[in-house]
Amino acid sequence: MERETDVVIVGTGAAGLFCALQLPESKKITIITKDEAENSDSFLAQGGICVLRSEDDYDEYFEDTMKAGHYKNNRESVAMMIRSSREIIDLLLEYGVEFEQRDGKLIYTREGGHSHPRILFHEDVTGKEITGKLLEQVKKRRNITMYEYTEMIDILCRDNICRGIVVTDRQGKTAPVWAEHTVFACGGIGGLYCHSTNFAHLTGDGIAVALRHGISLQDVNFVQIHPTTLYSEKPGRRFLISESVRGEGAVLYNAKMERFVDELLPRDVVTSVIERQMKEDGKPYVWLSMEHIDREDILGHFPNIYKRCLEEGYDVTKECIPVVPGQHYFMGGIQSDLEGRTSMKCLYAVGETSCNGVHGANRLASNSLLESLVFARRAAVDILSEKERPEQFSEAELFQPERYFDVEALRRENQELVKQEIERMKQENEQ
């Protein structure tokens, strides 16, 4: 593995890949990921990506985002995300991303919490379409080297300056990767939960490193539970039933087959009502019905959901499916500004592992992909604008191999650190 690079990026989700693509080919870029490159939560995103359709919708889009976030959002970040959305979509189209169209025009759908249809989508696998096309572009770049099954276990730093990361590979070999700039795009925290829509290997590594090195965090108690995941007694990741299903007319029923909630309310509200209903029913799930959606629309818009439910024994065109809330998204994270800068010099954080305040206390549906791309691009631009080279340190000063003799123990400690911090901030917030 290469020991020196200009920029090292941790993560192959939409944020990490997009950040790499915004940097010129004169920059040597190294990307690492704990698993296969495709196994990021960005690939799992079903619903879509928001975009400001016209100036007439700006105020309501802004208000929808603020309302969903319980007005704990950073207003400047929200404005930046919305204003940048069209530019991001244009770039995605240039990279070959295909959104649904009719008669040569883009089709927009609506999800919970949105006052108008403003979401572009690709069937029910929008994340796979976007992130897959970004990965194709990254693989074409000669200046970008990607290492799978390579895990960040620490950073190289001194005097609050980040000089790279410490990694371990699948053989257990630990090594430093020196870089002028480091970008954390290492995803969420789903692996810390029994019921989650996330990949199990996403365990908040960036948050743990931040805690160990005094890097500022923000709102780590803001953890989003998605109201509708497919109920199963099997262990492992829960399959998400996209919000856009409810946006297109699906309804929720209790054990008596009575509708009990407005399905288009923000996620946390719907989740709370479902949990209350399950307790009242004495059941570990409620029912979701697509009876009000035409069969052709289900097969055309939600083919992946249809197929997966069929594999579990449910034909959504003919019957209800059992759904249950599950951990879905992390709104908190490493504190970052509008350029993705953290409290440590030369260290950036983008995507789900960062927190610039866009989402507030609860993310509005389909804002995650947009937010990740907007601020990943801004981080890349900021990296290029830096002209001052930070102080250099010797390897012996920053890398002590003996600290990493038991990587498995370090992983356990890191996961416990993150869980304790989430709980601490929850209790602090409740007081």
Side-chain angles (χ1 to χ4, degrees):
M1 182 171 181
E2 297 177 24
R3 297 284 293 271
E4 292 188 22
T5 188
D6 292 322
V7 182
V8 62
I9 298 174
V10 184
T12 54
L17 297 174
F18 200 67
C19 183
L21 290 171
Q22 307 313 301
L23 294 166
E25 296 193 37
S26 59
K27 288 282 185 184
K28 186 178 179 182
I29 302 167
T30 299
I31 306 178
I32 71 159
T33 180
K34 285 174 78 172
D35 207 279
E36 294 180 19
E38 289 84 358
N39 287 348
S40 73
D41 278 355
S42 297
F43 273 86
L44 301 176
Q46 293 178 355
I49 180 170
C50 297
V51 63
L52 180 64
R53 295 181 64 176
S54 71
E55 192 60 34
D56 292 341
D57 188 38
Y58 178 84
D59 289 342
E60 288 188 83
Y61 184 3
F62 188 95
E63 173 62 19
D64 289 346
T65 300
M66 296 294 296
K67 184 178 180 181
H70 297 276
Y71 299 96
K72 294 184 178 181
N73 323 56
N74 180 321
R75 298 178 70 89
E76 193 177 359
S77 296
V78 174
M80 181 61 70
M81 178 188 70
I82 296 173
R83 292 293 186 197
S84 305
S85 62
R86 180 54 65 180
E87 176 188 20
I88 295 300
I89 297 303
D90 289 343
L91 280 169
L92 292 178
L93 293 171
E94 287 180 22
Y95 290 144
V97 174
E98 296 180 9
F99 296 113
E100 296 299 315
Q101 298 188 28
R102 184 178 295 126
D103 299 327
K105 294 184 178 180
L106 294 169
I107 300 173
Y108 298 85
T109 190
R110 180 186 173 196
E111 296 183 16
H114 288 269
S115 55
H116 297 290
R118 59 171 73 94
I119 300 165
L120 295 171
F121 63 96
H122 179 96
E123 297 178 346
D124 53 355
V125 288
T126 308
K128 181 179 180 181
E129 171 64 15
I130 291 175
T131 317
K133 292 293 172 59
L134 295 178
L135 185 58
E136 287 177 13
Q137 293 293 326
V138 162
K139 288 178 176 178
K140 293 176 183 177
R141 296 278 184 96
R142 291 185 177 182
N143 64 310
I144 302 175
T145 307
M146 185 163 51
Y147 296 93
E148 297 178 313
Y149 298 101
T150 303
E151 178 182 0
M152 174 187 69
I153 56 174
D154 204 355
I155 54 174
L156 301 160
C157 64
R158 182 174 170 181
D159 301 335
N160 202 43
I161 301 172
C162 184
R163 301 306 308 133
I165 62 175
V166 179
V167 303
T168 182
D169 61 20
R170 67 172 85 192
Q171 282 78 41
K173 182 180 177 182
T174 301
V177 178
W178 303 94
E180 289 188 11
H181 295 93
T182 300
V183 181
F184 280 6
C186 32
I189 57 173
L192 303 178
Y193 292 78
C194 292
H195 300 288
S196 175
T197 62
N198 296 184
F199 280 110
H201 64 271
L202 299 176
T203 52
D205 298 349
I207 309 302
V209 167
L211 284 166
R212 287 186 180 278
H213 292 282
I215 300 164
S216 299
L217 300 177
Q218 180 178 330
D219 299 334
V220 295
N221 55 306
F222 291 164
V223 180
Q224 186 177 71
I225 308 299
H226 196 287
T228 54
T229 72
L230 185 62
Y231 174 75
S232 176
E233 295 181 356
K234 300 175 185 176
R237 183 172 63 83
R238 294 288 169 256
F239 181 71
L240 178 72
I241 305 300
S242 171
E243 189 124 8
S244 56
V245 172
R246 284 176 282 128
E248 292 297 316
V251 294
L252 288 160
Y253 291 137
N254 61 18
K256 297 178 182 179
M257 302 309 289
E258 301 167 333
R259 191 177 175 198
F260 62 91
V261 66
D262 176 357
E263 293 81 5
L264 294 182
L265 289 170
R267 289 176 176 175
D268 59 333
V269 179
V270 178
T271 292
S272 179
V273 177
I274 288 176
E275 289 174 340
R276 191 162 59 244
Q277 187 64 54
M278 289 192 303
K279 188 174 182 180
E280 186 178 314
D281 291 344
K283 297 279 188 181
Y285 56 81
V286 294
W287 296 105
L288 181 73
S289 172
M290 301 186 198
E291 62 190 300
H292 302 299
I293 309 175
D294 290 340
R295 175 184 170 86
E296 292 73 21
D297 290 337
I298 292 174
L299 298 180
H301 193 159
F302 309 113
N304 192 48
I305 292 175
Y306 170 77
K307 180 182 177 183
R308 180 60 183 272
C309 289
L310 210 56
E311 290 171 355
E312 294 288 328
Y314 303 102
D315 184 342
V316 297
T317 66
K318 299 177 181 178
E319 59 189 325
C320 299
I321 57 173
V323 294
V324 62
Q327 189 279 332
H328 182 56
Y329 199 80
F330 185 41
M331 284 81 65
I334 298 172
Q335 190 177 74
S336 58
D337 63 14
L338 295 183
E339 274 63 52
R341 294 181 295 228
T342 70
S343 64
M344 179 174 280
K345 188 172 176 58
C346 300
L347 175 65
Y348 294 76
V350 295
E352 194 172 355
T353 204
S354 71
C355 181
N356 53 45
V358 157
H359 304 303
N362 178 59
R363 176 175 66 86
L364 181 66
S366 288
N367 264 348
S368 56
L369 285 170
L370 176 61
E371 182 267 331
S372 292
L373 301 180
V374 166
F375 294 99
R377 176 170 169 76
R378 294 185 66 81
V381 171
D382 194 73
I383 287 171
L384 293 176
S385 71
E386 282 202 357
K387 294 181 172 58
E388 181 183 346
R389 290 177 67 87
E391 183 181 351
Q392 300 295 308
F393 303 107
S394 69
E395 179 168 334
E397 289 180 284
L398 301 188
F399 179 60
Q400 291 85 41
E402 62 274 10
R403 293 176 58 190
Y404 313 110
F405 73 94
D406 192 343
V407 173
E408 189 54 45
L410 182 60
R411 288 191 188 105
R412 290 194 298 269
E413 289 174 13
N414 282 347
Q415 291 178 27
E416 198 57 37
L417 265 178
V418 177
K419 287 191 282 188
Q420 288 175 358
E421 182 64 11
I422 291 171
E423 190 58 35
R424 186 191 70 79
M425 288 206 70
K426 277 184 180 177
Q427 292 178 5
E428 186 179 284
N429 196 52
E430 290 169 358
Q431 291 174 354

